[in-house]
Amino acid sequence: MPELTKISQPHRFFLNMGPQHPSTHGVLRVLLEMDGEYIIEPQPVLGYGHRMQEKLAECRTCTAFMPNTARMDYAAALPYNHGYAALIERMAGIEVPPRAEYIRVITSELNRIASHLLWFGALLLDLGAFTPILYSFDDREQILDILEDITGSRLTYCYFRVGGVSKDIDDKFVERTRAFIKRLRQRFDIFEKLVTGNVIFINRVKGVGIIDADMCRRYGATGPVARGSGIPYDVRKNQPYSVYSEFDFDIPVGENGDSLDRYMVRMREMEQSLRIIEQALDKLPEGPYRGKIPKKIKLPAGDCCFSVEAARGELTYYLVGDGSDVPYRLKIRVPSYSNLSVLPELCRGMLLSDLVAAMGSLDLVIPEIDR
Amino acid sequence: MHRTESFAQSLRKLSLELQEVDFAQRGYHAEILLTADTLRDFARLMLEAEYFLVFMSAVHMSPAIELVYQFAQFNSQSRILGRLFLDADGVVPTISDIFQGSNWHEREVKDFFGIVFQDHPNLEPLILPEGSEDLKPLLKEEDKLKSCQEVSWQPAEAEGENEAAEPSGSEKS
């Protein structure tokens, strides 16, 4: 990879996309060497939102780190809560009551839908279609309202606790969630008519930014990016955690690995999330929403990891304990990091306008990458 | 867990040995002790066996920094953790030409720990700003630094073979 300090040919020029650019959705900078409208060499420049979360984890007790987990992927914070709580539970050998696991799955899936709706609106906005985000935000608001009632926040949730969740769900929650499922199913038809069948949209994304299965393996791309390339890899199925093995749901996959396939995968994933929520609500067991946990949670010496399927792919926490209640080292493997690292290989030789479509289809959340 | 016999044979050729670990307790299925000489051959083998690099990172402990490489498969439940203890000269080769995803991971480890990966194409700062090469924020201060025995799983007395077969800290270093 050549270092971008000198322009290699006289008619080429540098273009800075970001750090403040509407289609990077966060402070990401992509340094582009351009030849006319074609990209010769794209290099992402990271770190504008870096907060050294991994060091922060070494400076506080393991339970006190929970709020930080929500401040990485702010668009889908609950899977981050989930992975971290489950990691501490695995290390300390803490049992979680079944009701708590069901609540975790229901709220995580709601959060996943909210995140996909945000992506849906933002992608279309990047491609020049203003209307879809108004529809998708309308639906996303409903989820935020439902989650706000039980978690107390609208975005950076800190709802899960080691051993369960912080508050039980009530009949009102169940009722509103059921009403939302019904509503969103009808809205899918609108999205279909408005966007999925739209010839302008299809021409912008079809065949653009093709990632094949081999590329996913070499870069460690996961989530809808890998599934768009035809790899049926989903941590919820591949390595079931929590109570996901009790539900019947499919893993949508694409064929060509282009931006359109990644779009289709996410749209179909929302339907699958609705199915999971529906089954979980039907089977919701009675009982405590939080198990008994010791006042001071001691982590044994040694390493341990826990992987969950976040909205953007595989999230893995890797923790090294030293026998105290403070993690000795916490590594957070975030999905967008590996997904974005395909960008230079993916976008070399592409039109600038196609870069916007390809990057939008990766569904990046920059604070997650920078941590 | 799905691992073929030829895979095990290739590992033996590199004189590497997989140690099964308890997934329910540790979150991965097997671990393997690597050296700087075997790392690249091992990475090639993992790519052939259709593994992907989940992440690579480092842990600062005494006497040496430990590099951690985690691999998993898309089509089966197999998660392997490779450990590599840095020598005194601290030389470790890059695997970014085999797993391109490790390019950024290695740059990040260079940022946070100051480890230099040989033959890395572009070891510029990734997450930290330029000019912060001396910061190495994830290196432990001397009073907080633990020995590798203190941060490794200790074989439990009454546990089964898995636990007993684990390399103890002293063997690792």
Side-chain angles (χ1 to χ4, degrees), chain B:
Chain B
M1 212 188 324
H2 171 79
R3 279 201 298 268
T4 57
E5 187 50 36
S6 67
F7 177 69
Q9 269 177 3
S10 314
L11 276 181
R12 274 195 291 275
K13 249 182 238 164
L14 295 171
S15 59
L16 295 171
E17 202 188 340
L18 270 185
Q19 303 273 356
E20 304 280 331
V21 301
D22 181 12
F23 178 80
Q25 189 186 27
R26 310 267 287 265
Y28 53 91
H29 298 95
E31 61 180 2
I32 191 162
L33 192 60
L34 305 169
T35 60
D37 302 331
T38 52
L39 173 65
R40 286 180 56 83
D41 288 332
F42 175 70
R44 269 188 219 109
L45 184 63
M46 294 309 265
L47 189 67
E48 272 168 35
E50 304 203 327
Y51 279 82
F52 71 96
L53 181 73
V54 181
F55 69 86
M56 72 107 10
S57 192
V59 186
H60 188 202
M61 49 177 82
S62 76
I65 295 179
E66 179 196 47
L67 292 179
V68 180
Y69 295 81
Q70 192 180 91
F71 296 91
Q73 270 179 328
F74 284 133
N75 51 6
S76 80
Q77 273 199 44
S78 175
R79 210 168 266 272
I80 295 179
L81 195 81
R83 302 171 187 281
L84 193 157
F85 285 89
L86 278 190
D87 307 339
D89 51 0
V91 172
V92 61
T94 181
I95 58 163
S96 59
D97 53 334
I98 304 163
F99 284 98
Q100 277 76 6
S102 79
N103 186 318
W104 281 15
H105 288 291
E106 287 173 3
R107 280 172 74 183
E108 186 185 306
V109 169
K110 166 74 168 54
D111 277 1
F112 292 168
F113 294 88
I115 296 166
V116 176
F117 293 86
Q118 269 185 331
D119 300 325
H120 190 288
N122 174 28
L123 213 50
E124 294 294 306
L126 179 72
I127 304 253
L128 296 184
E130 284 132 34
S132 50
E133 282 80 3
D134 296 330
L135 204 59
K136 301 174 189 168
L138 283 183
L139 288 187
K140 297 272 179 184
E141 288 154 24
E142 212 161 288
D143 57 326
K144 300 233 174 87
L145 188 63
K146 299 255 163 99
S147 73
C148 77
Q149 286 89 342
E150 285 173 283
V151 292
S152 307
W153 285 96
Q154 301 303 321
E157 297 84 45
E159 282 293 318
E161 288 158 5
N162 278 355
E163 294 288 325
E166 249 176 57
S168 71
S170 55
E171 280 170 345
K172 280 180 195 170
S173 60

Side-chain angles (χ1 to χ4, degrees), chain A residues 300-351:
Chain A
D303 61 348
C304 176
C305 69
F306 201 98
S307 311
V308 297
E309 185 72 22
R312 279 150 197 83
E314 176 179 331
L315 162 72
T316 300
Y317 287 102
Y318 176 77
L319 194 149
V320 180
D322 60 357
S324 72
D325 58 341
V326 180
Y328 185 71
R329 167 93 173 93
L330 178 70
K331 161 75 190 168
I332 307 156
R333 186 264 190 219
V334 290
S336 286
Y337 189 84
S338 301
N339 291 356
L340 175 63
S341 70
V342 307
L343 193 83
E345 187 176 327
L346 182 66
C347 296
R348 244 170 240 142
M350 211 180 233
L351 275 170

Side-chain angles (χ1 to χ4, degrees), chain A residues 135-190:
Chain A
Y135 286 89
S136 78
F137 262 52
D138 190 4
D139 295 325
R140 184 170 169 267
E141 277 308 293
Q142 311 269 330
I143 301 181
L144 298 191
D145 285 346
I146 293 172
L147 288 178
E148 186 185 8
D149 258 12
I150 52 159
T151 64
S153 33
R154 289 177 72 78
L155 202 64
T156 49
Y157 309 109
C158 179
Y159 175 51
F160 295 178
R161 295 286 186 276
V162 175
V165 295
S166 69
K167 192 176 170 225
D168 201 2
I169 57 174
D170 49 16
D171 292 344
K172 191 179 154 212
F173 173 89
V174 175
E175 210 173 284
R176 288 174 77 183
T177 309
R178 282 195 194 279
F180 173 74
I181 295 173
K182 207 173 151 208
R183 173 196 156 107
L184 191 63
R185 288 221 165 105
Q186 289 162 354
R187 301 282 280 192
F188 284 144
D189 295 338
I190 299 179

Side-chain angles (χ1 to χ4, degrees), chain A residues 181-211:
Chain A
I181 295 173
K182 207 173 151 208
R183 173 196 156 107
L184 191 63
R185 288 221 165 105
Q186 289 162 354
R187 301 282 280 192
F188 284 144
D189 295 338
I190 299 179
F191 297 157
E192 179 89 28
K193 278 187 198 137
L194 194 63
V195 180
T196 313
N198 186 311
V199 66
I200 302 171
F201 168 70
I202 302 236
N203 286 340
R204 284 296 303 275
V205 290
K206 196 168 185 185
V208 169
I210 295 175
I211 302 175

